[in-house]
Amino acid sequence: MLQKIFRGALLLTTVLTLACNAGKNLNTQVHERDADGRDVKLKYPQQQTETPQNVNMSYDFEQLFTDAQNKKLDSLVRVFEKSNLITIKLVTLPADKVTASSFESNNKNLLKEWAGVHGNTDKALVVSISRGLNKAAIDYGPFVGKLLSRSEADHIINNDFLPALQGGTVYNGVLQGLNDLMDTIRRNIK
């Protein structure tokens, strides 16, 4: 009887230790034995690291938005993160900081960096736009890929972001594009 209690306490201690340690990859299987000596497989969900308040989610390096507009975009994606556990980073890039040929790879690198900020999660999404290059890119992790297809992302780029860059209504187009991204993801959550 004492052995069963000890094993139960050991299992509970292991579970609590792993659950409270967000720095470890908790998306792995742990093998333990139950009180009768049988293997028990426990699969822990990957922990989401919420974006700290002092880290921006909207970076306007091209200075396309007013401070108030940039804060509104930041707030919009921050609220989405809290309700859907998917973190979005928006970046505007001036033509003198990135070339047309490196624009896509730069966005992929930003995604790796942004996912790393959140515990190397696959629940990250990065949107880069450049008015100077007339380009927009959306990259995301595998989890987001289950909720947003490449064709849906390309549709949003072609119907929201690029027309806004060409027409001079950048803020409205970016706001619409972000809302369309978030609505598409919400619609595809089952």
Side-chain angles (χ1 to χ4, degrees):
M1 177 70 168
L2 188 58
Q3 246 183 348
K4 286 184 180 183
I5 294 172
F6 178 73
R7 283 186 183 160
L10 181 61
L11 179 61
L12 180 61
T13 303
T14 302
V15 169
L16 290 175
T17 301
L18 290 172
C20 293
N21 191 350
K24 297 225 184 240
N25 182 2
L26 300 179
N27 206 19
T28 59
Q29 290 191 357
V30 177
H31 298 278
E32 292 287 336
R33 296 201 182 271
D34 65 8
D36 297 323
R38 294 179 298 225
D39 274 344
V40 177
K41 290 183 181 178
L42 302 172
K43 184 165 173 85
Y44 299 98
Q46 186 173 5
Q47 299 295 309
Q48 173 75 12
T49 305
E50 187 175 320
T51 306
Q53 288 297 318
N54 64 340
V55 174
N56 293 335
M57 297 175 85
S58 177
Y59 294 86
D60 185 20
F61 296 119
E62 202 171 10
Q63 299 179 346
L64 300 176
F65 314 124
T66 66
D67 285 343
Q69 290 171 333
N70 197 44
K71 284 179 184 174
K72 184 173 181 179
L73 294 170
D74 190 89
S75 177
L76 177 70
V77 293
R78 198 171 291 279
V79 167
F80 182 75
E81 176 189 30
K82 288 182 184 193
S83 62
N84 295 284
L85 298 178
I86 295 171
T87 181
I88 299 174
K89 179 177 185 173
L90 171 67
V91 181
T92 67
L93 298 167
D96 64 340
K97 299 293 182 197
V98 65
T99 64
S101 62
S102 67
F103 187 80
E104 297 287 332
S105 63
N106 185 68
N107 198 54
K108 290 182 187 330
N109 289 335
L110 288 173
L111 175 64
K112 288 178 190 172
E113 173 189 290
W114 191 237
V117 167
H118 296 87
N120 291 321
T121 183
D122 57 355
K123 298 174 184 171
L125 185 147
V126 174
V127 177
S128 290
I129 60 172
S130 174
R131 186 173 190 181
L133 296 174
N134 194 36
K135 287 190 164 282
I138 300 172
D139 284 299
Y140 42 83
F143 178 82
V144 179
K146 295 175 185 177
L147 304 171
L148 178 70
S149 70
R150 186 75 254 161
S151 64
E152 289 170 323
D154 290 342
H155 179 78
I156 292 167
I157 288 171
N158 292 326
N159 290 335
D160 293 327
F161 294 121
L162 292 181
L165 293 175
Q166 296 162 355
T169 58
V170 180
Y171 173 72
N172 292 333
V174 169
L175 184 62
Q176 183 63 47
L178 288 174
N179 278 310
D180 286 348
L181 270 173
M182 294 182 290
D183 288 345
T184 302
I185 290 169
R186 284 186 198 109
R187 188 173 48 249
N188 291 333
I189 293 174
K190 295 176 182 160

